[in-house]
Amino acid sequence: MKIKIFSGLLVIMLLLSSCSFFSEEKEVTEDPIEKGQINVGIIDGGDRFLTKSDGGYSGIEIDIVKEVAGDVKFIEAKSQKDLLEMLAGKKVDIAVGRFVQDAEYGKEFAASRNYGKGGYFLLTKEGIYLDNLGSMEGENVAITENIKMAGEIADSEKVTLKSFENILMIPEEIREGRIRAAIMTEREAISLLKTEEGIQAQEMSSSPREAYVCLVNKDYEKLLEKINERIEGYLDKQAEIKKENQ
């Protein structure tokens, strides 16, 4: 009798376990490209890559992503940090904001192939034309956190580099003579020139060239494939235009 009761309990337990297994909901990640609608996180850099005017957006990054899906919605962020938070929270499906190729942004993200390149800029006091660090030996030079290739800048060992997280502090430091110049990205330089007086900027002659990529959630393989197709098409078109103009 005991054997029969044990056998009956064992059958019931197996049935319950089986029901529980089949009732578990498995998380399914739907690739945004399959919906035909994507949200793109952007930064208004006021440069050739992306700029806002007359209520709309234009530039290299817009040209690349605007035809990735049938319906594209642009969501503006103030910084790369904000964009990464939006991407991690899946508020946007693609982040484009001159993210540097091979930089560490998080294991949950995947990067596209690069779509463009750019150099670093030197911010100086107005009337002082400097495009390298060679003539500033021993002086203090600011550097922003967005400079990812500082070690590759010529003569960087000749100056004292001072890191600045808040770039809004830099113009006053330059005007007061506490720092001679500042190394920053093109977008950072342009943003300061719009609001600050007594400063100017020029591209560094000795600057390494950064390559820029789009970022997506690592699970969005089809979306990433489509972005890479658009980038390749854009670059091929630019090569044709350049060839025609030669």
Side-chain angles (χ1 to χ4, degrees):
M1 187 67 178
K2 291 182 179 179
I3 295 175
K4 290 181 180 180
I5 293 173
F6 176 77
S7 299
L9 289 173
L10 181 61
V11 171
I12 292 171
M13 290 175 65
L14 287 172
L15 286 171
L16 290 173
S17 175
S18 175
C19 291
S20 175
F21 174 78
F22 286 110
S23 66
E24 285 183 1
E25 293 185 3
K26 293 184 178 181
E27 185 178 351
V28 178
T29 301
E30 184 178 10
D31 197 303
I33 202 68
E34 296 174 347
K35 297 184 294 184
Q37 177 182 354
I38 59 171
N39 294 325
V40 180
I42 59 174
I43 297 174
D44 175 17
D47 56 25
R48 66 188 184 279
F49 285 91
L50 196 150
T51 190
K52 185 178 182 179
S53 60
D54 300 326
Y57 301 100
S58 61
I60 294 172
E61 292 169 340
I62 296 298
D63 290 341
I64 289 170
V65 300
K66 66 182 179 182
E67 295 179 7
V68 169
D71 184 9
V72 179
K73 179 182 178 182
F74 297 110
I75 301 176
E76 193 172 331
K78 292 183 179 180
S79 67
Q80 287 188 344
K81 182 180 179 181
D82 290 340
L83 269 187
L84 291 176
E85 291 176 355
M86 293 165 65
L87 189 62
K90 297 190 177 180
K91 295 180 180 179
V92 297
D93 304 308
I94 306 173
V96 286
R98 291 181 76 164
F99 289 100
V100 179
Q101 190 174 36
D102 298 327
E104 289 292 331
Y105 296 111
K107 294 181 179 179
E108 69 270 37
F109 306 132
S112 71
R113 63 160 298 173
N114 74 73
Y115 57 80
K117 295 183 178 182
Y120 298 141
F121 278 64
L122 265 181
L123 194 74
T124 62
K125 188 179 292 187
E126 191 172 22
I128 298 178
Y129 296 89
L130 294 171
D131 64 0
N132 64 80
L133 302 179
S135 60
M136 291 185 268
E137 187 168 359
E139 299 200 59
N140 294 324
V141 175
I143 187 167
T144 70
E145 62 178 4
N146 286 324
I147 300 300
K148 308 296 185 183
M149 304 169 70
E152 297 183 32
I153 300 174
D155 298 319
S156 59
E157 75 283 354
K158 294 182 178 180
V159 300
T160 300
L161 294 176
K162 293 185 174 293
S163 179
F164 276 76
E165 183 177 349
N166 184 1
I167 68 169
L168 297 178
M169 298 172 58
I170 293 176
E172 183 65 18
E173 294 291 301
I174 291 176
R175 287 191 292 261
E176 294 298 319
R178 288 186 285 271
I179 57 175
R180 181 71 184 280
I183 305 170
M184 57 183 57
T185 66
E186 180 180 3
R187 285 189 168 177
E188 289 172 327
I190 289 174
S191 68
L192 291 177
L193 291 175
K194 288 179 179 178
T195 59
E196 297 286 340
E197 296 182 353
I199 55 172
Q200 65 185 40
Q202 42 275 329
E203 187 170 7
M204 298 182 71
S205 60
S206 56
S207 170
R209 304 287 289 176
E210 292 182 331
Y212 306 118
V213 297
C214 305
L215 297 179
V216 302
N217 185 294
K218 68 177 183 179
D219 295 325
Y220 296 162
E221 295 179 1
K222 293 181 180 178
L223 178 59
L224 183 60
E225 182 179 349
K226 185 66 175 180
I227 294 170
N228 283 331
E229 288 178 4
R230 287 288 303 130
I231 292 174
E232 288 173 8
Y234 171 80
L235 294 177
D236 287 345
K237 185 177 180 180
Q238 296 306 306
E240 290 176 7
I241 294 173
K242 186 176 180 180
K243 187 175 181 180
E244 291 174 0
N245 292 333
Q246 287 179 346

